[in-house]
Amino acid sequence: MDKLKLFVEENYERFSDLEESEVYELDAHYIDNDIVDYLKDIRYGYGTNPKFTHNGIAVYYVGDSDEVWVENMDAEEEEE
């Protein structure tokens, strides 16, 4: 999804600074509805991976808290 890729790219510097097991939590109400709906679709849909990953940054929807969480998937590799 182009909007989600753009979201990651626009915030890449902030997201790429996240350390291993550190998560950036965003209230879903402040994120573009198309992005949240897409993340809900891949979380609850037929896919096997509930995360959208772009440039080593994973973005996913957490329904219990109605939040969008962001992780730096490359953080572990950088620390080794």
Side-chain angles (χ1 to χ4, degrees), residues 45-64:
Y46 300 103
T48 56
N49 184 1
K51 297 179 181 182
F52 173 87
T53 304
H54 180 65
N55 289 340
I57 304 298
V59 183
Y60 53 99
Y61 176 75
V62 179
D64 294 342

Side-chain angles (χ1 to χ4, degrees), residues 1-2 4-9 12 15 38-39 42 48-61 69-75 77:
M1 161 179 249
D2 290 338
L4 194 44
K5 284 182 182 178
L6 185 60
F7 173 73
V8 169
E9 290 169 1
Y12 183 78
F15 296 155
Y38 177 78
L39 292 171
I42 62 174
T48 56
N49 184 1
K51 297 179 181 182
F52 173 87
T53 304
H54 180 65
N55 289 340
I57 304 298
V59 183
Y60 53 99
Y61 176 75
W69 287 12
V70 181
E71 290 181 79
N72 180 0
M73 301 305 288
D74 292 337
E77 293 176 17

Side-chain angles (χ1 to χ4, degrees), residues 28 31-41 61 66 68:
I31 305 294
D32 185 284
N33 286 335
D34 291 338
I35 291 174
V36 174
D37 289 343
Y38 177 78
L39 292 171
K40 285 179 181 179
D41 285 347
Y61 176 75
D66 195 29
V68 173

Side-chain angles (χ1 to χ4, degrees), residues 20-35:
E20 180 183 6
S21 72
E22 187 178 15
V23 176
Y24 197 81
E25 301 172 13
L26 303 161
D27 187 322
H29 295 100
Y30 297 106
I31 305 294
D32 185 284
N33 286 335
D34 291 338
I35 291 174

